[in-house]
Amino acid sequence: MYRIPTRCVHAGTIDDVREKGINSPVYTSTSFGITEGEGPIYPRYMNTPNVRSVSEKIAALEECETALVFSSGMAAISTVLFAFLNQGDHAIFQRGLYGGTMHFLEREMNRFGIHYSIAGSQSVADIQSQIRKNTKLIFIETPSNPLLNITDIPAVAALAASAGIISVADNTFATPINQRPCRMGIDVVVHSATKYLGGHSDILAGAVATSGRLMKPVHETALNFGGSLNAFTLYLLERSIKTLDLRVNRINLNAMEIARYLKSHKKISKVYYPGLADHPGHLTALAQMSGFGGMVSFEMAGQDARSFQKKLRLIKPAVSLGALESICCSPASTSHRHLGAEGRKAEGISEDLIRLSVGIEDAEDLKADLERAL
Ligand SMILES: *Cc1c(COP(=O)(O)O)cnc(C)c1O
């Protein structure tokens, strides 16, 4: 097998036999001729040439037997949950999950008679203590949002395997460049490809990577829910993933430098970054990640989030993450607003926490912008 940067460029590319173009041809058809023996090809069945091609690229990067692309991260996540959970089943989630995943649980699960628990922390013991007789699935997200807590992936995978429970990991923050959960025993990886895989703040997409056996029910559920991705967006996603290794490695370096800069700044009271030696999950991160990613969160001494964000010129206050440009947000007024002050306090999210998604700009320019605002 080729190494990761080579896979980013070449894995899954459609061989253009007719015209010998270097890039995968884009097949926009929604109607394909019927061929003997094979089932029908149709975009919602998620079996068009471009779906198969980009899925193959993601499977190669996640080092899974197979993958499937979706129209959003939430389409991927909801399909996986409904594929494996039936009425009366129980699933375990964690604190610090992506807000949309949390909202999905609160809004949809009980309605369909599916029970769930939220483990009180990232520790494996806390997850284990929630296991019931009817537990069918454990879902983790590491690093977590926005405090970048780390869950021990091999330990969760082993716990789930020993109890016959399906383990799922949201690998959006880490990307397959920094962390490959299936290699550590996780059954199913999910992605919001809107973030680093897409990487340019211009497409919405999702992905699932797993074994051939577990993909069967996911695929069957997927075509019923209909969250398929169109050919034009697939073309952009394929193009983006070709530079994933370059982008993520640059982002890792920039984020580390900014985390160190913030750490030594007298106007900063706390920095959350798994690459820092005093981060509580640092040793676990070191064991399971090859880079620490581009998300850095911090708290300031003596300045509120609003006035800080107003003074930035280069780093824009904006939602989402994982793209070329550095952006920041205040979780208390965006992703975690719905929790209220009490809820945020319980989650350990201070009112003036800033979450930074570090881009590929020059680190000196980013530091100068932060310095000005601080
Ligand atoms: C954004 C995000 C999602 C949801 O993805 P969409 O593409 O917005 O549907 C899921 N998980 C994580 C960690 C995310 O950051």
Side-chain angles (χ1 to χ4, degrees), residues 194-202 240 243-244 246-248 250-251 254 314 321-327 357-362 366:
T194 312
K195 317 296 166 54
Y196 292 98
L197 298 186
H200 296 68
S201 301
D202 59 359
S240 292
T243 58
L244 182 67
L246 272 178
R247 288 186 282 114
V248 171
R250 169 62 171 253
I251 285 169
N254 276 357
L314 181 60
L321 61 106
L324 306 178
E325 63 283 343
S326 295
I327 58 170
S357 169
V358 179
I360 64 163
E361 301 96 332
D362 189 287
L366 295 173

Short mmCIF file of all heavy atoms in Angstrom, two decimals, residues 194-202 240 243-244 246-248 250-251 254 314 321-327 357-362 366:
data_model
loop_
_atom_site.label_atom_id
_atom_site.label_comp_id
_atom_site.label_asym_id
_atom_site.label_seq_id
_atom_site.Cartn_x
_atom_site.Cartn_y
_atom_site.Cartn_z
N THR A 194 -17.31 18.36 5.66
CA THR A 194 -17.43 19.82 5.56
C THR A 194 -16.20 20.50 6.13
O THR A 194 -15.87 21.62 5.75
CB THR A 194 -18.67 20.27 6.38
OG1 THR A 194 -19.77 19.43 6.04
CG2 THR A 194 -19.02 21.71 6.12
N LYS A 195 -15.54 19.84 7.06
CA LYS A 195 -14.42 20.43 7.78
C LYS A 195 -13.10 20.12 7.04
O LYS A 195 -12.97 20.51 5.92
CB LYS A 195 -14.42 19.94 9.23
CG LYS A 195 -15.83 19.94 9.87
CD LYS A 195 -16.44 21.32 10.02
CE LYS A 195 -17.94 21.29 10.33
NZ LYS A 195 -18.33 20.49 11.49
N TYR A 196 -12.17 19.41 7.66
CA TYR A 196 -10.83 19.29 7.07
C TYR A 196 -10.82 18.55 5.72
O TYR A 196 -10.04 18.89 4.85
CB TYR A 196 -9.87 18.59 8.04
CG TYR A 196 -9.57 19.41 9.24
CD1 TYR A 196 -10.25 19.21 10.44
CD2 TYR A 196 -8.62 20.43 9.18
CE1 TYR A 196 -9.99 19.98 11.56
CE2 TYR A 196 -8.34 21.21 10.29
CZ TYR A 196 -9.02 20.98 11.48
OH TYR A 196 -8.76 21.76 12.57
N LEU A 197 -11.64 17.52 5.55
CA LEU A 197 -11.58 16.77 4.28
C LEU A 197 -11.93 17.70 3.12
O LEU A 197 -11.25 17.73 2.10
CB LEU A 197 -12.52 15.55 4.31
CG LEU A 197 -12.25 14.47 5.36
CD1 LEU A 197 -13.18 13.28 5.15
CD2 LEU A 197 -10.82 13.99 5.33
N GLY A 198 -12.99 18.49 3.28
CA GLY A 198 -13.36 19.50 2.29
C GLY A 198 -12.37 20.65 2.34
O GLY A 198 -11.82 21.07 1.32
N GLY A 199 -12.18 21.19 3.54
CA GLY A 199 -11.05 22.07 3.83
C GLY A 199 -11.03 23.47 3.25
O GLY A 199 -10.09 24.21 3.51
N HIS A 200 -12.03 23.89 2.47
CA HIS A 200 -11.99 25.21 1.85
C HIS A 200 -13.26 26.03 2.14
O HIS A 200 -13.56 26.99 1.44
CB HIS A 200 -11.82 25.09 0.33
CG HIS A 200 -10.51 24.47 -0.08
ND1 HIS A 200 -10.20 23.14 0.17
CD2 HIS A 200 -9.43 25.00 -0.68
CE1 HIS A 200 -8.99 22.90 -0.30
NE2 HIS A 200 -8.49 24.00 -0.81
N SER A 201 -14.01 25.63 3.17
CA SER A 201 -15.24 26.34 3.56
C SER A 201 -16.22 26.52 2.40
O SER A 201 -16.89 27.54 2.32
CB SER A 201 -14.91 27.75 4.12
OG SER A 201 -14.06 27.63 5.23
N ASP A 202 -16.29 25.53 1.50
CA ASP A 202 -17.24 25.71 0.39
C ASP A 202 -18.04 24.47 0.03
O ASP A 202 -18.78 24.49 -0.95
CB ASP A 202 -16.50 26.25 -0.86
CG ASP A 202 -15.37 25.34 -1.32
OD1 ASP A 202 -15.14 24.29 -0.68
OD2 ASP A 202 -14.72 25.68 -2.32
N SER A 240 -10.12 18.32 -3.03
CA SER A 240 -9.65 18.78 -1.72
C SER A 240 -8.80 17.73 -1.02
O SER A 240 -7.77 18.05 -0.43
CB SER A 240 -10.83 19.12 -0.81
OG SER A 240 -11.49 20.26 -1.29
N THR A 243 -4.95 17.33 -1.31
CA THR A 243 -4.00 18.15 -0.54
C THR A 243 -4.19 18.00 0.97
O THR A 243 -3.65 18.79 1.74
CB THR A 243 -4.14 19.64 -0.90
OG1 THR A 243 -5.50 20.05 -0.63
CG2 THR A 243 -3.82 19.92 -2.35
N LEU A 244 -4.97 17.00 1.40
CA LEU A 244 -5.27 16.87 2.84
C LEU A 244 -4.01 16.74 3.69
O LEU A 244 -3.87 17.41 4.71
CB LEU A 244 -6.21 15.67 3.07
CG LEU A 244 -6.64 15.46 4.52
CD1 LEU A 244 -7.54 16.60 5.00
CD2 LEU A 244 -7.38 14.13 4.69
N LEU A 246 -0.90 17.67 3.05
CA LEU A 246 -0.18 18.96 3.08
C LEU A 246 -0.85 19.94 4.03
O LEU A 246 -0.19 20.58 4.86
CB LEU A 246 -0.22 19.60 1.68
CG LEU A 246 0.85 19.27 0.67
CD1 LEU A 246 0.53 20.01 -0.63
CD2 LEU A 246 2.21 19.69 1.18
N ARG A 247 -2.15 20.09 3.87
CA ARG A 247 -2.88 21.08 4.69
C ARG A 247 -2.82 20.74 6.16
O ARG A 247 -2.54 21.59 7.00
CB ARG A 247 -4.35 21.16 4.22
CG ARG A 247 -4.55 21.84 2.89
CD ARG A 247 -6.03 22.02 2.57
NE ARG A 247 -6.69 20.81 2.11
CZ ARG A 247 -7.63 20.14 2.73
NH1 ARG A 247 -8.07 20.56 3.90
NH2 ARG A 247 -8.16 19.05 2.22
N VAL A 248 -3.11 19.48 6.50
CA VAL A 248 -3.19 19.11 7.92
C VAL A 248 -1.81 19.19 8.58
O VAL A 248 -1.69 19.65 9.72
CB VAL A 248 -3.84 17.72 8.09
CG1 VAL A 248 -3.72 17.23 9.53
CG2 VAL A 248 -5.31 17.76 7.68
N ARG A 250 0.60 21.26 7.82
CA ARG A 250 0.89 22.69 8.02
C ARG A 250 0.06 23.21 9.21
O ARG A 250 0.54 23.97 10.06
CB ARG A 250 0.57 23.44 6.74
CG ARG A 250 0.56 24.94 6.86
CD ARG A 250 1.94 25.47 7.27
NE ARG A 250 1.95 26.91 7.18
CZ ARG A 250 2.58 27.59 6.23
NH1 ARG A 250 3.26 26.95 5.29
NH2 ARG A 250 2.54 28.90 6.21
N ILE A 251 -1.21 22.80 9.24
CA ILE A 251 -2.11 23.24 10.31
C ILE A 251 -1.61 22.72 11.67
O ILE A 251 -1.63 23.45 12.66
CB ILE A 251 -3.56 22.79 9.99
CG1 ILE A 251 -4.15 23.70 8.90
CG2 ILE A 251 -4.44 22.79 11.24
CD1 ILE A 251 -5.46 23.22 8.31
N ASN A 254 1.29 25.02 12.69
CA ASN A 254 0.79 26.34 13.09
C ASN A 254 0.10 26.30 14.45
O ASN A 254 0.31 27.17 15.29
CB ASN A 254 -0.20 26.87 12.04
CG ASN A 254 0.49 27.54 10.87
OD1 ASN A 254 1.70 27.67 10.85
ND2 ASN A 254 -0.30 27.95 9.88
N LEU A 314 -7.14 39.63 11.06
CA LEU A 314 -6.87 38.53 10.14
C LEU A 314 -7.77 37.32 10.48
O LEU A 314 -8.39 36.72 9.60
CB LEU A 314 -5.39 38.14 10.25
CG LEU A 314 -4.85 37.03 9.37
CD1 LEU A 314 -5.02 37.37 7.90
CD2 LEU A 314 -3.38 36.78 9.69
N LEU A 321 -15.22 25.10 10.97
CA LEU A 321 -13.80 24.91 11.28
C LEU A 321 -13.13 24.09 10.19
O LEU A 321 -13.79 23.59 9.29
CB LEU A 321 -13.67 24.18 12.63
CG LEU A 321 -14.29 22.77 12.70
CD1 LEU A 321 -13.24 21.68 12.68
CD2 LEU A 321 -15.12 22.61 13.94
N GLY A 322 -11.82 23.98 10.32
CA GLY A 322 -11.08 23.01 9.51
C GLY A 322 -10.74 23.44 8.10
O GLY A 322 -10.52 22.59 7.24
N ALA A 323 -10.65 24.75 7.86
CA ALA A 323 -10.37 25.20 6.49
C ALA A 323 -9.02 25.91 6.40
O ALA A 323 -8.24 25.92 7.35
CB ALA A 323 -11.50 26.11 6.01
N LEU A 324 -8.76 26.52 5.26
CA LEU A 324 -7.47 27.18 5.00
C LEU A 324 -7.28 28.41 5.86
O LEU A 324 -6.17 28.73 6.28
CB LEU A 324 -7.39 27.60 3.53
CG LEU A 324 -7.64 26.50 2.49
CD1 LEU A 324 -7.57 27.10 1.09
CD2 LEU A 324 -6.61 25.40 2.63
N GLU A 325 -8.40 29.14 6.11
CA GLU A 325 -8.30 30.40 6.84
C GLU A 325 -8.53 30.16 8.33
O GLU A 325 -9.35 29.34 8.72
CB GLU A 325 -9.32 31.43 6.31
CG GLU A 325 -10.78 31.05 6.45
CD GLU A 325 -11.26 30.03 5.44
OE1 GLU A 325 -10.60 29.81 4.41
OE2 GLU A 325 -12.32 29.42 5.70
N SER A 326 -7.78 30.90 9.16
CA SER A 326 -7.98 30.79 10.61
C SER A 326 -9.24 31.55 11.00
O SER A 326 -9.46 32.67 10.56
CB SER A 326 -6.79 31.41 11.35
OG SER A 326 -5.62 30.66 11.08
N ILE A 327 -10.06 30.90 11.79
CA ILE A 327 -11.28 31.54 12.30
C ILE A 327 -11.39 31.25 13.79
O ILE A 327 -10.74 30.34 14.32
CB ILE A 327 -12.55 31.06 11.57
CG1 ILE A 327 -12.71 29.54 11.68
CG2 ILE A 327 -12.55 31.48 10.11
CD1 ILE A 327 -14.04 29.01 11.20
N SER A 357 -9.82 27.81 15.17
CA SER A 357 -9.53 26.82 14.14
C SER A 357 -8.39 27.38 13.32
O SER A 357 -8.56 28.35 12.58
CB SER A 357 -10.77 26.59 13.26
OG SER A 357 -10.42 25.83 12.12
N VAL A 358 -7.21 26.81 13.50
CA VAL A 358 -6.00 27.38 12.90
C VAL A 358 -5.90 26.95 11.44
O VAL A 358 -6.12 25.79 11.10
CB VAL A 358 -4.75 26.92 13.68
CG1 VAL A 358 -3.49 27.47 13.05
CG2 VAL A 358 -4.86 27.33 15.14
N GLY A 359 -5.59 27.92 10.58
CA GLY A 359 -5.49 27.66 9.14
C GLY A 359 -4.06 27.48 8.68
O GLY A 359 -3.16 27.19 9.48
N ILE A 360 -3.85 27.70 7.38
CA ILE A 360 -2.52 27.45 6.80
C ILE A 360 -1.71 28.73 6.58
O ILE A 360 -0.66 28.72 5.94
CB ILE A 360 -2.62 26.71 5.44
CG1 ILE A 360 -3.33 27.58 4.37
CG2 ILE A 360 -3.32 25.36 5.58
CD1 ILE A 360 -3.09 27.08 2.96
N GLU A 361 -2.19 29.87 7.13
CA GLU A 361 -1.44 31.13 6.94
C GLU A 361 -0.07 31.03 7.62
O GLU A 361 0.24 30.06 8.31
CB GLU A 361 -2.20 32.30 7.59
CG GLU A 361 -3.62 32.53 7.05
CD GLU A 361 -4.70 31.87 7.91
OE1 GLU A 361 -4.41 30.84 8.56
OE2 GLU A 361 -5.83 32.39 7.92
N ASP A 362 0.72 32.08 7.50
CA ASP A 362 2.00 32.13 8.19
C ASP A 362 1.75 32.32 9.69
O ASP A 362 0.99 33.21 10.09
CB ASP A 362 2.84 33.28 7.64
CG ASP A 362 4.26 33.23 8.18
OD1 ASP A 362 4.45 33.54 9.37
OD2 ASP A 362 5.14 32.84 7.41
N LEU A 366 -0.38 35.20 12.18
CA LEU A 366 -1.47 34.82 13.10
C LEU A 366 -1.15 35.29 14.51
O LEU A 366 -2.01 35.84 15.21
CB LEU A 366 -1.69 33.30 13.07
CG LEU A 366 -2.19 32.73 11.73
CD1 LEU A 366 -2.21 31.21 11.78
CD2 LEU A 366 -3.60 33.27 11.41
#
